[in-house]
Amino acid sequence: MEIGKKIKRLRQEKYLTQDELASRCELSKGFISQVERDLTSPSIANLGDILEGLGTNLKDFFSDDGEEKIVFD
């Protein structure tokens, strides 16, 4: 999973700038930028703060977006 791309997509869906998101989670714009470009990995605490700023949580963020597939043998 590309965490950075998903964070960027969620941020853009909320019409937030990197500055606005950084302010919401008390992180720097540079850190948000690096996370979105997958240049650095956030700690669980920072990821939780970012997701809270985006109006979601860890469980929903990591849940599979794909359709459920049922296989019969």
Side-chain angles (χ1 to χ4, degrees), residues 63-72:
S63 68
D64 189 10
D65 293 322
E67 294 180 21
E68 184 176 321
K69 294 182 178 150
I70 300 172
V71 178
F72 296 97

Side-chain angles (χ1 to χ4, degrees), residues 4-72:
K5 284 186 179 181
K6 192 166 181 180
I7 288 172
K8 183 175 182 176
R9 181 179 51 81
L10 288 171
R11 178 181 59 78
Q12 290 173 334
E13 286 175 1
K14 302 281 185 183
Y15 301 103
L16 293 171
T17 65
Q18 288 179 341
D19 274 331
E20 291 168 329
L21 178 57
S23 292
R24 286 184 179 196
C25 33
E26 298 180 357
L27 298 167
S28 71
K29 176 187 173 187
F31 181 73
I32 298 294
S33 175
Q34 288 180 347
V35 169
E36 287 186 352
R37 293 181 291 146
D38 289 314
L39 297 177
T40 190
S41 297
S43 67
I44 295 295
N46 284 343
L47 181 58
D49 291 341
I50 291 168
L51 297 178
E52 185 178 320
L54 292 170
T56 190
N57 58 48
L58 288 166
K59 179 183 176 281
D60 292 339
F61 183 77
F62 286 108
S63 68
D64 189 10
D65 293 322
E67 294 180 21
E68 184 176 321
K69 294 182 178 150
I70 300 172
V71 178
F72 296 97

